[in-house]
Amino acid sequence: MKSAVETLNPTRVRLTVEVPFEELKDSLDAAYKKINQQVTVKGFRKGKIPARVIDQRFGRGAVLEEAVNDALPRFYTDAVNEAELNPLGQPEVDITELKDGETLNFTAEVDVRPTIEIPDYSGIEVEVDAVEVTDEDVEKAVEQLRERFASTSPVERAAEDGDVVTIDLEAKVDGEVLEDGVADGVSYTIGSGELLDGIDDAVKGLEAGGEATFTSELKGGSAAGREAEVTVKVTQVAARELPELDDDFAQLASEFDTLEELKADSRKRLENMKQYDQATQAQERVLDKLLELVEVPVPEKLLEDEINTRKHNLEHHQLAQMGLTLDKYLELQGKTAEEFDEETREAAVKGIKTQFVLDELVNKEKLNVNQEELTEHLMRRAASSGMSPDQFAQAVVQQNQVPLLVGEVARGKALAVVVEAATVKDTNGEIVDLEDEDETAEAAETAETAEAEAEGDGEDKAEA
């Protein structure tokens, strides 16, 4: 086999391949064998039909077609490896010549990873937000914790802002009650904004047993986005009572004995979370600076596929789960279809360039991924997906996505190398040390987990 490569543009090549006919022998034998198992000819046992009979009865052309289809992927792969190409996607193959007993010639056009030159990135400088936790931030955090431990008690009066009402709801569209438009015993805090627009005004002033009707746009369900006539009936009004901010509250809501210790811990958690946000901000801004330094051509076919994938995932997964159409989403976002298309294209271009540049850095810096790093990444991905680590790992293996996860970890390490070499200053002009970035992230995640657990404890204790 002989092959040659023609560069069509920085991201696309054409392979021209010439295959001597004798190299098709194995595929021809396989073709005759396959046809033998599929057909019957009177006078011959199944699977024992001579090749000349198959040629006479079904045509030599059918055999050649089967043999070429079987052999092409192998010859294409050999040509790619010989030229040391990094193809992207499937090739467009054209058989230019097929002479029985003589030769097989074909061309294959395919997108390839562009050649990228990584410049000196040690001079990158970025500015990030300073880590500042004010007394007001601490007071707000403690107040939020206090809200979680609020208790409720029924009252015989009209509902007011901040009260918790138990309500029954019925939604009608065009005068018909929706199948999924009825809900009883819903608990709602007036002023929280967690239900329908207009419900606060409807229930305020109502006592237990009172009802009102209002018009609102439905946020989810079978009639999401449509105007509905909603009837709300209040079955109970309960006042929320906040615990006193004292040492007893600290002991109720945390492992600390005093309110001052609780506040000090809240300040530390806020600092950890802001440091994590600062590190994330540094990564994003360093990456943007790096991409500005590198010329990265983007294959049009790859870009088109990436744009279509992003649109499909948004429309058929994310929005579908919220009961929204793309048109309704754009309306809520205040965007035109053209603006959405442009934003999606820009995000897709950045995503492709980022992967190309970081993959090149992985090779340049000779970065490897060990089992511990892969396991840690898998655990984080599992947590963000809402699956257990075992479930997520099983899904990854079944879908052959282990290489994708390895690539994600490797690219993360490559970006960390660039961030480490960059100069990062906060808005106060102070140099930011990101060496303890992983520990900060872990502390922030621990803080978020602790807050979530405290929220659950607060609900349990308040109900008790």
Side-chain angles (χ1 to χ4, degrees):
M1 184 191 81
K2 294 192 302 183
S3 64
V5 181
E6 177 187 358
T7 300
L8 303 178
N9 62 49
T11 63
R12 193 166 180 83
V13 299
R14 178 188 293 124
L15 284 164
T16 300
V17 184
E18 298 179 9
V19 182
F21 203 80
E22 57 265 24
E23 293 188 29
L24 279 173
K25 184 180 183 308
D26 289 343
S27 293
L28 279 169
D29 291 344
Y32 279 116
K33 184 176 182 180
K34 181 176 180 180
I35 294 173
N36 242 307
Q37 299 300 322
Q38 294 175 337
V39 301
T40 57
V41 175
K42 189 175 180 180
F44 297 95
R45 286 182 296 164
K46 195 174 184 65
K48 300 295 183 180
I49 308 170
R52 59 179 176 76
V53 175
I54 291 178
D55 289 345
Q56 292 169 356
R57 290 294 186 92
F58 306 103
R60 174 72 167 176
V63 179
L64 287 174
E65 181 179 357
E66 181 67 36
V68 169
N69 288 340
D70 174 73
L72 273 178
R74 172 165 49 87
F75 293 134
Y76 165 73
T77 300
D78 289 345
V80 165
N81 293 337
E82 183 179 298
E84 297 182 346
L85 300 176
N86 291 308
L88 301 167
Q90 295 300 313
E92 294 179 6
V93 178
D94 180 26
I95 297 175
T96 56
E97 186 177 24
L98 175 58
K99 289 186 177 179
D100 193 359
E102 295 183 24
T103 186
L104 163 66
N105 298 335
F106 69 92
T107 62
E109 287 190 17
V110 66
D111 287 330
V112 293
R113 281 180 176 268
T115 300
I116 298 173
E117 294 294 331
I118 303 295
D120 179 14
Y121 47 78
S122 61
I124 291 178
E125 294 186 11
V126 297
E127 184 181 75
V128 295
D129 295 336
V131 173
E132 296 175 344
V133 177
T134 65
D135 291 342
E136 289 75 15
D137 293 332
V138 175
E139 294 298 330
K140 183 179 178 181
V142 173
E143 188 62 27
Q144 289 174 341
L145 183 61
R146 186 185 179 205
E147 290 277 351
R148 294 173 189 161
F149 282 84
S151 59
T152 59
S153 56
V155 292
E156 295 182 2
R157 59 165 174 77
E160 302 172 354
D161 266 329
D163 285 343
V164 179
V165 290
T166 304
I167 54 178
D168 297 336
L169 294 166
E170 181 183 82
K172 294 181 180 179
V173 173
D174 298 331
E176 297 290 331
V177 177
L178 299 171
E179 289 186 10
D180 56 354
V182 177
D184 295 332
V186 176
S187 180
Y188 175 67
T189 301
I190 300 176
S192 66
E194 294 174 350
L195 280 179
L196 300 168
D197 293 338
I199 194 169
D200 289 339
D201 291 336
V203 298
K204 277 192 293 189
L206 295 181
E207 298 184 17
E211 67 176 54
T213 300
F214 64 101
T215 301
S216 183
E217 183 179 292
L218 299 178
K219 296 180 179 179
S222 61
R226 299 185 63 183
E227 290 287 327
E229 181 183 87
V230 182
T231 299
V232 55
K233 180 178 181 180
V234 176
T235 59
Q236 178 180 279
V237 178
R240 298 177 76 246
E241 297 177 2
L242 298 175
E244 291 293 328
L245 278 178
D246 53 23
D247 292 346
D248 289 339
F249 168 70
Q251 294 167 23
L252 171 70
S254 71
E255 72 272 27
F256 301 106
D257 294 326
T258 68
L259 183 60
E260 288 307 310
E261 289 176 327
L262 173 60
K263 288 183 177 181
D265 181 69
S266 296
R267 182 180 295 276
K268 183 60 178 176
R269 291 188 184 191
L270 290 171
E271 288 175 351
N272 286 338
M273 294 178 71
K274 288 198 173 187
Q275 286 171 351
Y276 177 65
D277 291 341
Q278 185 188 64
T280 301
Q281 192 178 66
Q283 288 180 333
E284 292 172 351
R285 294 183 179 179
V286 167
L287 175 60
D288 288 340
K289 289 282 189 179
L290 176 63
L291 294 180
E292 290 175 7
L293 296 175
V294 187
E295 185 67 31
V296 186
V298 176
E300 281 300 319
K301 181 64 168 63
L302 181 64
L303 177 58
E304 180 184 343
D305 291 344
E306 178 66 14
I307 290 172
N308 290 336
T309 297
R310 287 172 180 255
K311 286 183 176 179
H312 179 84
N313 289 340
L314 175 66
E315 188 169 3
H316 298 284
H317 296 292
Q318 296 164 260
L319 296 183
Q321 290 177 355
M322 295 186 287
L324 292 176
T325 63
L326 180 58
D327 289 341
K328 187 61 185 177
Y329 168 75
L330 294 180
E331 181 184 330
L332 293 173
Q333 293 290 313
K335 296 178 183 176
T336 65
E338 291 74 17
E339 290 171 335
F340 169 73
D341 287 342
E342 181 60 27
E343 288 180 4
T344 303
R345 181 181 179 84
E346 289 177 359
V349 167
K350 182 178 180 180
I352 292 171
K353 286 185 174 182
T354 297
Q355 182 168 335
F356 283 170
V357 170
L358 294 183
D359 282 347
E360 185 63 28
L361 267 168
V362 168
N363 294 330
K364 181 179 179 180
E365 302 293 343
K366 295 180 173 56
L367 302 176
N368 296 310
V369 176
N370 60 43
Q371 186 61 48
E372 182 181 354
E373 292 166 335
L374 182 60
T375 300
E376 288 177 357
H377 183 65
L378 186 148
M379 298 281 283
R380 286 194 294 269
R381 286 287 304 272
S384 64
S385 69
M387 301 170 67
S388 72
D390 287 344
Q391 289 175 325
F392 188 79
Q394 186 176 5
V396 166
V397 171
Q398 289 176 345
Q399 297 169 24
N400 297 318
Q401 291 185 336
V402 173
L404 294 180
L405 257 64
V406 172
E408 290 175 0
V409 177
R411 286 189 283 274
K413 294 180 70 172
L415 179 55
V417 169
V418 184
V419 172
E420 185 178 350
T423 299
V424 182
K425 294 182 180 180
D426 65 20
T427 49
N428 294 329
E430 299 291 330
I431 296 291
V432 177
D433 183 6
L434 297 172
E435 288 185 2
D436 296 330
E437 179 183 318
D438 291 338
E439 293 179 11
T440 301
E442 184 178 345
E445 291 171 0
T446 301
E448 291 172 350
T449 302
E451 287 184 5
E453 291 174 350
E455 182 174 357
D457 291 344
E459 292 171 353
D460 294 341
K461 293 177 181 178
E463 290 175 359

